[in-house]
Amino acid sequence: MPKAPQGAASARAEPRTANLALQGGGSHGAFTWGVLDALLEDGRIRFEGASGTSAGAMNAVVLAHGLARAHADGLRGQPANEAARAALARFWDGVGLLGSFAAGLPLPAAQAMASWVAQWFSPAQANPLGINPLRRLLEREVDFGLLTHGQAMKVFVTATNVRTGRGEIFSGPRLSADAVMASACLPTVFQAVRIEGEHYWDGGYSGNPAIYPLIYATRSADVILVQINPVEAPFTPGASAQEIMERVNEITFNAPLLAEFRAIEFVTRLLDEGRLDPQRYKRVLLHRVDGGAALAGFGGASKTRADPAFVRRLFELGRTAGQHWLAAHFHDLGVISSVEKMSQDSVPPPPRNVP
């Protein structure tokens, strides 16, 4: 007898509900696409909410819009999941198409040129019209009116207020293409995005991604983090200037997340000790699909590389990681946090030289 497809077989199991926390990291967000594809194909997890930053915000809104469109068309369950998979594939195929236009120069030359421009010109000087093809792709694929009024899942997008230096969450009626582009606005590359009289930069400086909206605005206790910035990385005193800056960026963009993890662990410990009222404080169960090790071999500079072959390679790595996590940790959902065990279950890193 032919073997049933993985998604069809898994969908017969009782589904569980969880939230998603999706990190940013440029084109490395294609890894997250692969993870989401594996989770949607499996079919056993329903998503109540998603918090995302930068590329994670884009994955969150495309996923939520795919589900909202499917629900508007009368689809539920696995057919809705398949529609969301198709939506994510269209978006990232579009990213790859945009990346193919930038693939004319060899990668080292393109990176050197981008570094030179960033050093000597502000974004307003280098791109006075603020042209960003990614915004047009996002607006083509996502109907924000449908997304903000749909009931498929809640979405929370983090951007950093330039004036206050604080993270701000955009959700519900405030969720827009502007908010997502603000969340992905690296200040050395793009002009700050103006929303309601304030200017915003990349959300990674203040929450990559922010966990607290999932704690306060959803009922599910489980949070599945898809992490694409490595927490730990080898370093030598003889590192090049580029390697130093790459590591500085990794540390900077992980710092807010690690602070939230420490706060969650502190509250959990107090709950375990009976020192906090469980009726007032929510017990959060943390889980992680860790792409840091799998992506470290590509180097931080590859976050600006988005040619179709590279995007597809990252997608496949993400699918493998998602399937691996499901096999190891699906049954932890609703029971225990599995973050502590992830170090034993990490996905092997790819070869350093990638075609």
Side-chain angles (χ1 to χ4, degrees):
M1 179 180 295
K3 185 177 180 181
Q6 181 183 353
S10 301
R12 288 196 293 268
E14 182 179 351
R16 303 188 184 185
T17 302
N19 292 311
L20 294 166
L22 309 178
Q23 268 201 330
S27 64
H28 287 189
F31 175 93
T32 302
W33 165 35
V35 173
L36 296 177
D37 188 80
L39 299 182
L40 289 165
E41 180 187 52
D42 180 83
R44 290 178 292 173
I45 302 175
R46 293 173 179 164
F47 305 121
E48 182 181 2
S51 177
T53 297
S54 192
M58 295 183 186
N59 274 315
V61 297
V62 173
L63 167 63
H65 180 261
L67 291 173
R69 173 60 67 190
H71 288 188
D73 292 339
L75 301 177
R76 296 293 187 275
Q78 198 56 30
N81 282 5
E82 294 303 316
R85 291 179 70 196
L88 285 162
R90 283 195 308 272
F91 176 78
W92 282 100
D93 284 346
V95 171
L97 183 61
L98 292 176
S100 66
F101 290 114
L105 284 174
L107 186 60
Q111 292 169 346
M113 179 175 290
S115 177
W116 182 84
V117 170
Q119 181 179 358
W120 294 104
F121 297 93
S122 72
Q125 293 170 318
N127 184 8
L129 299 180
I131 297 172
N132 190 338
L134 192 56
R135 181 191 179 98
R136 291 196 291 271
L137 172 63
L138 183 68
E139 291 176 329
R140 186 188 75 192
E141 295 296 333
V142 177
D143 176 352
F144 282 89
L146 175 64
L147 176 61
T148 56
H149 292 93
Q151 300 299 316
M153 60 184 289
K154 298 178 180 179
V155 178
F156 309 93
V157 168
T158 306
T160 303
N161 186 306
V162 179
R163 180 178 60 83
T164 67
R166 296 177 179 176
E168 188 160 340
I169 303 299
F170 292 87
S171 187
R174 297 188 72 211
L175 189 58
S176 64
D178 280 340
V180 177
M181 297 313 298
S183 182
C185 179
L186 286 172
T188 58
V189 180
F190 303 109
Q191 297 183 43
V193 178
R194 182 175 173 134
I195 304 174
E196 300 168 355
E198 296 280 2
H199 290 87
Y200 295 89
W201 280 337
D202 196 296
Y205 297 112
S206 52
N208 193 19
I211 305 295
Y212 70 88
L214 301 173
I215 298 175
Y216 295 113
T218 71
R219 299 183 64 182
S220 176
D222 291 275
V223 176
I224 303 172
L225 167 69
V226 183
Q227 189 166 13
I228 56 180
N229 287 317
V231 175
E232 298 183 3
F235 183 78
T236 60
S240 67
Q242 179 178 333
E243 290 171 332
I244 291 171
M245 287 309 302
E246 287 179 4
R247 187 58 186 146
V248 167
N249 287 334
E250 289 170 350
I251 293 171
T252 300
F253 285 124
N254 273 329
L257 176 67
L258 294 177
E260 282 202 90
F261 266 45
R262 286 192 293 271
I264 291 169
E265 290 168 358
F266 179 64
V267 170
T268 300
R269 186 167 69 250
L270 293 179
L271 284 169
D272 289 341
E273 295 171 356
R275 297 167 65 184
L276 289 179
D277 182 357
Q279 299 300 318
R280 296 185 58 193
Y281 293 89
K282 183 176 180 178
R283 181 181 296 275
V284 178
L285 304 179
L286 295 172
H287 313 275
R288 177 174 61 186
V289 182
D290 188 3
L295 298 172
F298 296 121
S302 66
K303 292 178 181 179
T304 62
R305 177 183 172 186
D307 57 274
F310 186 60
V311 168
R312 182 58 60 169
R313 171 69 169 142
L314 297 178
F315 166 76
E316 293 297 342
L317 283 172
R319 266 187 63 84
T320 298
Q323 291 166 346
H324 184 86
W325 183 88
L326 283 164
H329 298 294
F330 170 77
H331 293 289
D332 291 333
L333 291 173
V335 181
I336 60 171
S337 291
S338 62
V339 168
E340 294 79 7
K341 298 188 289 185
M342 289 305 294
S343 60
Q344 303 171 11
D345 304 313
S346 58
V347 178
R352 194 165 188 84
N353 297 320
V354 181

